[in-house]
Structure formats: C-alpha cells, structure tokens
Amino acid sequence: MQEFEDLKKRLGEVSALASAAGILEWDHQTHMPAGGAANRAVQLEVLSKITHEMSVSSETERLLKAAEKSVESLDPDSDEAAFVRIARRDFDHSAKLPTELVSEIARVSALAHESWAEARAESNYSKFAPWLEKIVDLERQVADHLGHTGERYDALLDQYEPGMKAADVRAMFDAIKPTSVALVKAIVERGPNAVDDSVIKRDFDEAKQLAFGEAVIKEIGFDFERGRQDRAVHPFCSSFTSGDVRITTRFDRNFLSMALFGTIHETGHALYEQGVAPRYDGNTLGGGTSLGVHESQSRLWENLVGRSRAFWTHFYPSLQSTFPESLGDVAPERFYRAVNKVEPSLIRVEADEVTYNLHIMLRFEMENDLLEGRLEVKDAPAAWNAKMQEYFGLTPPDDAQGILQDVHWSMASLGYFPTYSLGNIISAQLFAQANTDLGGVSAQIERGEFAPLLGWLRENIHQWGRKYTAGELLQRITGKSLDTDPYLTYLKTKYGDIYGL
Ligand code: ZN
C-alpha cells in the first residue's frame, strides 16, 4: 500500500494549501480591513495557482494511477478505495481547467467581491456590472472546459452537486412548484394579518442576542472547543478540519430572526463538519459531500427543528427571560406563529420556508439565461425585477434589494443556488427517516434532548465526509433516491395548521 500512502501524502499537501487559502478567505470576510483587499487578491491568486498546479501535476497523476492499481483488489466500500475514487473525480475535474483560468477566477472574484459590496451599499448596479460581465465570461469558459452536452449549467452545477443536471433541477422544481404556489396563494388570501410577527420586530439588545444564540447552539451540539463564531456581512460556515469549524452571524436589533435563525442555520453546517470522522481530516474525504447535503443539515436545524413548536416549548422560557421587556407579554404560541410567518418578500435570505424556493427558481433561470447568452448583463436588473413581479407580485424599490442582494455571483459561484432548494427537500426526507428510526423526535426536542437526532445524523451522514455522494447517502439511509413527497407533506401540514387551511 505504499502507493496509496504516497498519494495520500501528496493530496494532504494539496488540502493544506487549500485550507490556508480558506483561512485567508475567512479573514477577508471577518476581520480584514478594506485596505487589505488588493494584497489579499494577490495572495489568493498565488495560492490557488500553486494548489491547482500541484493537484494536476504529472507527479500527482502518476501517484494516482499507481494508487488506483494498488486498491483494485480492495472492497469498493473501503476507505482506501473511496479515497482513490474521489481523488480521481477531483483530479479529472481540476485537470480540465487551465491553471491560468483558475488563478484568474481567484483574482477577479476577490476584486469583484469588493465592488459588489460597494455596489450593494450604494445600490449602484453599474459599479458591479463590469465585474459580473467578466465573471459570466469566466464561468462560460469553466463550463466549456469541464464539458457538457449542450447546457453549460450542467458542468457548473456538477462542481457543487456531483452528478446532478440542470434537467434534474427543473424536474425538482416542477415537482414542488404547484404545491408551493398554491400554498402561497392560499396564505396570501388569508390577509397580511393572519399571522402577526410584530413581536419579533421589537427591541432586542445585540449582546443579549449573541449570548442567547450561543447558548442555544451549544445546547444543540456546537462544540466551541472545535469552533468559533464571528460577525460577517453575509453569514457563512468555513471548515478547515473537524477540529476547526467557524461560523459567522449578523445582527439586527429590531429583527430577532436574523441572528437567531442565521446562527442556527450556520450551526447546522458546522455540526456536519465537526461530525466528519477525524481520520478524514486534512485530506480528500474530509468535509461535506455536496452543497445540497450540506444545506440539508443547515435547513434541518434551522427550520424543521429551530422553527418547530417543540423547539420553542423547550427554549421559549429562557428567551422570554432574556428579553422580558420585549417578550414578557407574548405567549409561546404567538411567538411560534411569528417566526413562521409566510409573506412574499424581496430578500432570499429572509424568506420563509414556503416562498424560499421561488427565489431559487428565479436565480436558476437567470443564471441559465446569462450563461447561454439569452440575457445580457446590462439587462439583468430589469429581468430580475420582471421575475420578481411574476413570482411574488413585488418590484424591488432598488437594486440593493433586487439583483445585488446575494454574494454568490461576485464569488463566481454560478450553478450554486439550486443546492439550497435541494437542501430543503433532502432535509425533510432525512427528518422523516430520523423520526421513523428514533421514534418521536419532536417529543425529544420538546424535552431539550438533541443528542439522539444529532447522533443519528452523525452516524448516517456526518461521519462519512465525502465518501458517499448525495444519491448514495439517500439510498443507504432511506432506500430511495431524492423524494419531494416528505417535503411537500411537511409544508402542507405545518402551514395548513398555522394558517387554518
Ligand atoms: Zn447554508
């Protein structure tokens, strides 16, 4: 097995470089002063160039071929065979991309991020448009290098969700759209006051929000010995090994949900990363297997757990005593309804569970049109606003609340958005299975017992890291491929109850 060990050592070095770049990116979004941007772009460009060169070098290819031979006789389900299989997938992906293109993307996206942040702050699309132009062009090149059978989207999506195609995304949306649209319509017909969420828009001291949020995530299982939380403009989770997993959050003094559910969401991602088997640390099988599975973990904790009646039966008394002036007169049921209010709205990250996927459909369609040249960057804001009108009956008052709201395009992450909807659907499929296997998860949550659910997720998903794909995990756990039924049942049951439909 010397060949296998040699490959492992080599890819461990590649991982170390990638995680050093990850730390620089984390710092970029949390602590770095704006004046560091230009130099940070250079650092990231150099690192990504070296990382890419190493990962596709003839030496790596030679080691990979030798390792493939050496694991031929092993059980395909063994760690070694899986390691080599995933290493081959990573190698083939990287080898198709010229190093100059990879480093150009790293450089451009670091600078584009800065101008996106400024453009959004000033609500000035023209400041970001030239960068978006460059990014769309670079992403087209990426798709064409990776190869596709007609739809560039397939190649880009595959980077985040191995094996998934644009046609699968369309099928997924076709399956959930009728129920989602009908639910939104029925809820809107109940009138804007059917659920009153004014109680979560009262005054909530920021320091107390932070302390409460940290207490909650500690209780559900976030390990502060192997993680930390900082502030960022756009919340995210980054992981370097299972022993160093960092989340970020942001606060609004007059909107409790922002930090509270944002923190629980990022914790869902972090629990996944902290739960990966330590033997996979710092190498090919470490980290989450796909963005869809990752998002299933954040959504499961944020929504199926965090916005459930059972969760607030347990946590509401301590929340109420943290904010006696703002919540002293609010009964638990009123609070539960408030955090589950459904309302067509402009901003994806603040969207409720029922309207959320409509935001994703809009982005999926726009990205596709941009990549295929059916839509020009200069016309994108108008296209965005037209779709907002069509799906939500709303027109953004400015581009900051429209096309400039998300960070993804500035990071050259086209093809990423559908994994959010995929995560919603997988979260319900997994939760239904956990409920069957554990029996009465809600009753456990009500008693503040989070260990059984976390243990189930650890055993079935987290520990495996990248060993199994999303499809393989779903088959192993539920005996089925992706199934939208549990998700639709969940939405209809929960919101039918809240809105008396
Ligand atoms: Zn997420």
Side-chain angles (χ1 to χ4, degrees):
M1 292 298 281
Q2 190 53 47
E3 294 86 353
F4 174 77
E5 292 303 326
D6 290 345
L7 176 68
K8 202 172 164 188
K9 180 165 177 285
R10 174 80 174 179
L11 295 182
E13 288 166 4
V14 173
S15 285
L17 284 168
S19 85
I23 297 263
L24 290 176
E25 274 158 16
W26 171 82
D27 173 71
H28 186 186
Q29 309 222 15
T30 50
H31 300 298
M32 190 190 79
N39 187 45
R40 184 55 45 89
V42 175
Q43 295 167 332
L44 286 170
E45 185 187 357
V46 172
L47 264 176
S48 87
K49 184 166 174 277
I50 299 171
T51 310
H52 189 257
E53 276 170 358
M54 250 186 105
S55 60
V56 300
S57 70
S58 51
E59 174 64 0
T60 302
E61 188 172 22
R62 188 184 67 75
L63 293 170
L64 178 59
K65 279 184 178 155
E68 279 175 325
K69 267 208 157 23
S70 79
V71 301
E72 253 169 14
S73 58
L74 295 181
D75 178 357
D77 205 36
S78 66
D79 274 0
E80 290 79 7
F83 183 99
V84 175
R85 190 164 62 238
I86 305 297
R88 165 57 70 184
R89 195 179 77 201
D90 290 348
F91 179 86
D92 287 346
H93 173 268
S94 302
K96 287 178 185 164
L97 298 177
T99 300
E100 312 78 66
L101 180 59
V102 173
S103 54
E104 176 69 357
I105 289 171
R107 191 187 65 85
V108 167
S109 56
L111 295 171
H113 181 86
E114 291 306 305
S115 53
W116 164 76
E118 280 173 31
R120 191 174 78 151
E122 300 164 16
S123 191
N124 179 2
Y125 179 74
S126 65
K127 205 163 204 173
F128 180 55
W131 292 102
L132 184 56
E133 196 91 56
K134 279 193 182 63
I135 281 167
V136 170
D137 177 55
L138 289 168
E139 291 284 85
R140 280 184 190 142
Q141 293 180 44
V142 168
D144 293 344
H145 280 289
L146 290 175
H148 51 84
T149 51
E151 275 196 271
R152 289 193 172 111
Y153 210 88
D154 287 350
L156 298 183
L157 176 63
D158 189 75
Q159 304 178 98
Y160 307 113
E161 202 57 44
M164 197 177 200
K165 304 261 184 257
D168 301 324
V169 175
R170 278 188 206 102
M172 175 178 90
F173 284 144
D174 287 347
I176 63 172
K177 198 170 176 177
T179 302
S180 305
V181 170
L183 257 180
V184 173
K185 189 168 176 281
I187 290 168
V188 167
E189 279 168 6
R190 294 262 144 181
N193 302 319
V195 165
D196 167 23
D197 68 343
S198 62
V199 297
I200 53 171
K201 293 174 176 169
R202 292 177 175 175
D203 185 44
F204 298 95
D205 175 75
E206 209 173 290
K208 286 183 181 172
Q209 286 194 49
L210 174 67
F212 181 79
E214 291 199 345
V216 167
I217 65 175
K218 210 171 193 169
E219 203 172 326
I220 64 183
F222 183 85
D223 182 354
F224 277 92
E225 298 293 314
R226 297 188 294 132
R228 54 178 290 130
Q229 179 174 248
D230 294 85
R231 288 161 198 260
V233 178
H234 201 95
F236 63 94
C237 169
S238 17
S239 165
F240 308 106
T241 59
S242 62
D244 184 358
V245 181
R246 307 181 188 193
I247 58 172
T248 59
T249 193
R250 59 178 169 180
F251 297 90
D252 182 339
R253 199 180 164 112
N254 301 111
F255 185 44
L256 188 62
S257 293
M258 179 182 274
L260 181 55
F261 293 107
T263 298
I264 298 173
H265 177 100
E266 298 309 329
T267 296
H269 286 299
L271 292 174
Y272 187 4
E273 295 284 343
Q274 289 185 334
V276 174
R279 68 180 185 280
Y280 295 161
D281 274 346
N283 218 314
T284 303
L285 295 180
T289 191
S290 76
L291 291 188
V293 175
H294 234 299
E295 197 65 9
S296 78
Q297 301 306 294
S298 56
R299 295 277 155 180
L300 185 144
W301 288 100
E302 177 193 354
N303 292 329
L304 287 99
V305 176
R307 289 182 207 265
S308 70
R309 207 178 253 124
F311 186 83
W312 290 107
T313 301
H314 174 65
F315 277 115
Y316 193 65
S318 65
L319 181 70
Q320 209 174 19
S321 64
T322 305
F323 300 107
E325 294 86 6
S326 294
L327 295 177
D329 64 335
V330 180
E333 181 66 13
R334 191 172 165 203
F335 179 79
Y336 165 71
R337 291 168 64 83
V339 299
N340 284 296
K341 185 180 173 80
V342 174
E343 197 170 32
S345 65
L346 298 168
I347 307 294
R348 175 186 63 85
V349 294
E350 309 300 347
D352 56 79
E353 291 182 272
V354 183
T355 57
Y356 189 89
N357 297 305
L358 298 174
H359 289 274
I360 303 302
M361 287 179 210
L362 173 157
R363 286 154 178 77
F364 169 63
E365 290 165 4
M366 285 203 47
E367 288 184 341
N368 238 313
D369 289 346
L370 284 167
L371 286 167
E372 299 302 337
R374 293 187 294 262
L375 174 65
E376 305 246 358
V377 166
K378 68 173 167 49
D379 302 326
W384 179 286
N385 294 350
K387 283 186 194 293
M388 282 302 296
Q389 191 50 249
E390 184 190 340
Y391 291 162
F392 299 93
L394 300 169
T395 298
D398 54 42
D399 289 334
Q401 294 174 75
I403 194 167
L404 291 173
Q405 65 183 270
D406 291 310
V407 71
H408 304 66
W409 292 350
S410 79
M411 297 167 74
S413 299
L414 277 76
Y416 185 126
F417 281 117
T419 66
Y420 290 122
S421 289
L422 183 61
N424 286 334
I425 291 161
I426 296 177
S427 73
Q429 194 176 348
L430 292 175
F431 197 75
Q433 188 64 42
N435 216 24
T436 303
D437 293 355
L438 297 169
V441 171
S442 287
Q444 293 164 351
I445 292 173
E446 223 174 272
R447 293 192 298 268
E449 296 164 10
F450 298 100
L453 178 59
L454 180 56
W456 185 91
L457 294 168
R458 289 255 146 102
E459 186 187 331
N460 287 292
I461 299 151
H462 301 177
Q463 64 158 324
W464 301 116
R466 296 177 73 211
K467 182 168 178 173
Y468 301 113
T469 63
E472 287 166 348
L473 281 175
L474 285 174
Q475 274 297 341
R476 285 171 59 94
I477 301 165
T478 69
K480 281 185 176 176
S481 52
L482 182 69
D483 179 8
T484 53
D485 287 349
Y487 180 64
L488 295 175
T489 303
Y490 163 72
L491 285 184
K492 283 187 282 193
T493 310
K494 179 173 176 180
Y495 291 94
D497 166 57
I498 292 174
Y499 282 91
L501 304 174

